[in-house]
Amino acid sequence: MPSFSQDTVVMGSVLDGTTLEPIPDVTITIEGSHHVTKTDAKGEFQFKTIVPLGEQILKVEKLNYSPKRYPIIINEGKTLDITGMTLDYDVSNKKDLFIISISDDNLNSEDDGLTDNISGLLQSSRDVFLNAAAYDFSATFFRPRGLDNANGKVLINGIEMNKQFNGRPLWANWGGLNDVQRNQEFSMGISANDYTFGDLAGTNNIIMRASQYQAGGRISYANANRSYTNRVMASYSSGLLDGGWSYSILASRRSGEEGFVDGTLYDANSFFFAVEKQISEKHSINFTGIYAQNRRGRSTAITQEVFDLKDNTYNPFWGAQNGEIRNSRIRETNEPILMLNHYWNLSSKTKLNTNVAYQFGKTGNTRIDNNGSKLVTFNGQETYIGGARNPDPSYYQNLPSYHLRNPSPSAYDYELAYLAASAFRTDGQLDWRELYQANETLRAQGGNSIYAIQEDRNDDNQFSANTILDTELSERIRLNGNLSYKHLKSENFANLQDLLGGTGYLDIDSFADDAQGQELENLAQSDVRHPNRIVQEGERYKYNYNINAIVISAFAQAQFRYTKIDFYLGTTLSQTNYQRNGLYENGYFQGTGPDGSFGKSETLDFSNYGVKAGATYKVTGRHLIDFNASYVTKAPTIRNSFGNARQSNETVIGLESEKAKAVDLSYIFRSPILKTRLTAYVADFEDGTDIGFFFTELSSGFFVQEIQTNIDRRNVGAELGVEAQITPTIKLKGAAAVGQYMYTNNPNLYYTSADIDQPLTFGVGTTQLKDYHVAGGPERAFQIGFEYRDPNYWWFGATANQFSHSYVDVSALKRSDAFFMDTDLFPEEGPGSFQQGGNFSGATFNAYDETTAKQLLRQEQFNDYMLVNIIGGKSWRIDNYFVGFFATVNNVFNKTYKTGGFEQSRRVDYRSQLEEQTNDNGPLFGNRYFFGNGTTYYLNFYIRF
């Protein structure tokens, strides 16, 4: 018979084995007895009854975690404190993949919505491989399975947050709220999800419900040299109070004069408030409010020539003004979110969750407008004088290669190149004084501003509502359903933000000419209904239109769970429609309705559907086989539906919904020591659409909209994640990804422009992209690393990460029939000219050589590189307070590498490319590259109570 002691105490705490966060509601049992207790909100427990003495086994268990058994010895009259026991998440569970919180600094590259980094979507995954992708691979813009964040869904309290404009989540909308985003559920790939149909890159639901936060507070300070330099954050949650109330609040501030890249200021303030009332056991209502204002200085891709003269910290967008850094390209996001959620437990097995949300505010991007002009009359004819030189310090005419562009440069050319290189190295930044002086000179002469700061604005107002059903039909069958409605009104316009010392800005296009047979006075107008308008600061100009979008969708899913196999079936239906409403009548596209620019365009309607199925076969308790398959049609985004939305109502010719079919097969092994997942996948995409904007020197040169349709792609590959707990304190881990992401056809291609009467095509009207790689980060990535977690609550880890098979984004125009076409044989104006539009073919270069052409069209592959990252931290418990810090150092050895890039489409024909690529002094319009950061750090101190 065991002996018992009333004066003996057994107490301790349980932490998450990965995040080291306390775990509440863990069941603690002394085996062989009736002694059972649970951990509180701080993860702590204590047996308050008489406990058995001697050698015992303490069993620690919680749903979705792998249980553990700890041998203990209980001595009479003593206190046994077992603080810091850990539980590891059960990787075989695919429903509630709990959180791993990463610093919001990891997500900053996505705040501007310009990249396709997917790290934010993966931050809650416990999967070994996806953790590597979120933490260590994301700096290279690695995309698991070649999928970007438009292929994933982000939800907050069950409501989808992806933007309808481009299909991507805008992380800045909830940036700086780390401490209240620790409750997340992630579904890998297209697998079963309780809230929505999902997408190929996965679905992440961030639970920001007041009652789900454990009682307590947290204060932290972070210092870094990546994007912001300082962050202060404070949060407090009440837990469940008397009367059924609970609340949670957070405030944070992130700031920095510049990050790793020069001139990239950071100014962000975030606030969060949630309050919930449990009306009864069956009903609860929650309100969540998010305010996340973010203002950031931007940078850009640079050529190899610019990099060689400067380095990877160079940014041409900033210059000194009155001794302070001023960036001309500022992105500001301020879109508050208001959300109301009703939770109804219809029974112990059926739940209904109804949500409504309203998001409003603005997103603005500034740039220098050098198109200012003045209206003059000469010999009774009105005309416009103005337009200024491009003030970009890295403009091609400011670089040495411009002076050495000819085949045999003279001594004077070399002198000019040397002076240009010296000036660029010495300064090479934006000259604000020159812009102000130019405007002041014109002001004194009675003229308008020739330079101004233009802000491209998107002011969105979106209402969302959905209802989500979750019911257990039996012990083995579970049904999920969702009905959703979204309505967006998006105001799009240019805002004159700063006249730079001038008195006004003439709202016309100074580059307009009357070659199209229209009167110049009308052709040049941004709005012919208000001609020659002088614009002041804070007023709209250039373009002004609204987009209205409505999406209605439904989702149903059945999940089946049996002893040896689990499987699911799911389907979705949706209806999407877009319409543009022009508020200006543009001079190039005069008229109303679908063929003009004023009033409403045609309504674009898309009916879509999707089906998916999957199964997990349990070979044994340690060996699992997982399979998922799906076929989905998806409406094109707003961005890819209108060819030139800023100036006309024209919609994309041949626009269709994209089709995606995908299959993945995984082998999963799990044991107390080793956890492994090996996955093979293939995904095919058909009928994609993409629109680009750039200036080309074809013919006499013009700014074009490049529209590709019928784009087919295939992503195929494998991924591996391995984790080995070789000792209680040492863990080894490894990850590998091998993929190939290719174009599988030759998409349709045409061009539109304000300078072209009708769509322009070349030859057969396609671009020869088949068998080229789809750009977007490395296709191959490998990692090996370790973690050491000391029983005294300090830890350290390091990883070595190898990347290869990254490719530049190829120019579609360069791979069209325009490449071998001698455009000098076509007239610049009149019949048969490019300005007339239509199809152009023939006129091949006389000296065209097929072998040389293949060399000129070869896709550039970037060099392989390795990045070493380290991470560590320490925590202390002082009475009821937890104090600690953690730090990360990325790219320890300061490796220089390219994360991406693109070919310029300015000079694309055979003769021009031959000159560009064979010039010993470098190309005039070389590829532009994005360079990764050098050595960076992130240091965080916190106190939790």
Side-chain angles (χ1 to χ4, degrees), residues 8-28:
T8 304
V9 176
V10 177
M11 59 185 295
S13 65
V14 183
L15 306 177
D16 183 280
T18 302
T19 66
L20 295 184
E21 293 288 332
I23 307 177
D25 297 323
V26 178
T27 301
I28 314 294

Side-chain angles (χ1 to χ4, degrees), residues 709-728:
T709 60
N710 187 37
I711 303 172
D712 294 351
R713 299 175 287 126
R714 166 168 284 190
N715 295 4
V716 62
E719 54 193 26
L720 172 69
V722 181
E723 183 179 276
Q725 191 76 49
I726 60 174
T727 74

Side-chain angles (χ1 to χ4, degrees), residues 77-98:
K78 302 292 185 180
T79 296
L80 178 61
D81 188 351
I82 321 170
T83 300
M85 293 185 294
T86 61
L87 283 183
D88 294 322
Y89 191 78
D90 184 357
V91 296
S92 67
N93 187 289
K94 298 174 60 181
K95 172 183 175 291
D96 297 319
L97 289 169
F98 196 71

Side-chain angles (χ1 to χ4, degrees), residues 26 42 66 326 367 530 562 606 636 665 783 803 814 842 847:
V26 178
K42 296 182 179 179
S66 299
R326 182 179 180 184
R367 56 191 174 97
H530 300 89
Y562 295 92
F606 304 95
L665 180 66
Q783 179 190 88
F803 303 96
K814 191 160 73 173

Side-chain angles (χ1 to χ4, degrees), residues 730-778:
I730 298 177
K731 180 189 294 183
L732 299 181
K733 59 182 181 179
V738 177
Q740 188 178 67
Y741 318 132
M742 309 289 290
Y743 292 101
T744 56
N745 77 330
N746 297 321
N748 298 330
L749 177 70
Y750 73 92
Y751 294 86
T752 62
S753 172
D755 300 311
I756 302 175
D757 287 347
Q758 56 182 313
L760 173 67
T761 61
F762 297 97
V764 295
T766 63
T767 176
Q768 310 302 305
L769 296 185
K770 186 177 180 180
D771 296 331
Y772 279 94
H773 293 263
V774 179

Side-chain angles (χ1 to χ4, degrees), residues 921-935:
N921 297 299
L924 200 60
F925 299 101
N927 296 343
R928 286 183 171 267
Y929 305 109
F930 297 97
F931 289 87
N933 291 344
T935 302

